[in-house]
Amino acid sequence: MPARRPGRGDRGQVAIEFVGTVPLILLLVAAVWECVLIGYAFSLAGNAADEAARAGAVHGGAACEEAAGEHVGSAWNMTVACSETGGIVTARVSLNLPLLYPGLDIGVPIEGEAGSPKEEEE
């Protein structure tokens, strides 16, 4: 039986462990990034709805839809619905849930809704 050289028994073990853990780390990073995108989408939808309701209350329906898209890129596939009921202008903004980056979505809507009292334009 050949004699083992001392200190060579675990050769390559670190490389094997590294190769095994890298996919798990990348999966964790992707999951955290997806959570960040979801939070950002909710924030973006809420802000767009606020902007749209305010513009609709001051300038009317056409301004409502235009104001909603002012800060939202086309990759988010935004839809806007503005309505007025009893002196309150309501805006509902819907964005598609992104999968790893805006533009690649899975069709799940993220909605923001806001209202503002109707004002007379000066």
Side-chain angles (χ1 to χ4, degrees):
M1 175 177 227
R4 288 182 78 181
R5 290 186 281 175
R8 307 281 286 182
D10 290 339
R11 184 176 179 173
Q13 183 67 30
V14 172
I16 297 298
E17 290 175 1
F18 179 75
V19 168
T21 57
V22 165
L24 296 174
I25 292 169
L26 291 177
L27 186 62
L28 180 64
V29 167
V32 168
W33 177 247
E34 184 64 26
C35 290
V36 167
L37 274 178
I38 291 170
Y40 181 63
F42 273 107
S43 176
L44 199 60
N47 184 55
D50 286 340
E51 297 265 344
R54 179 73 180 135
V58 175
H59 302 293
C64 179
E65 294 183 17
E66 183 181 324
E70 190 172 317
H71 302 292
V72 180
S74 62
W76 291 93
N77 297 324
M78 180 182 71
T79 57
V80 182
C82 298
S83 62
E84 182 182 347
T85 307
I88 302 291
V89 176
T90 304
R92 177 176 290 234
V93 174
S94 179
L95 305 174
N96 284 338
L97 177 67
L99 184 63
L100 298 181
Y101 69 92
L104 178 64
D105 60 69
I106 56 176
V108 175
I110 291 179
E111 295 186 349
E113 187 173 359
S116 185
K118 184 76 174 159
E119 297 180 16
E120 296 299 322
E121 192 171 357
E122 294 178 17

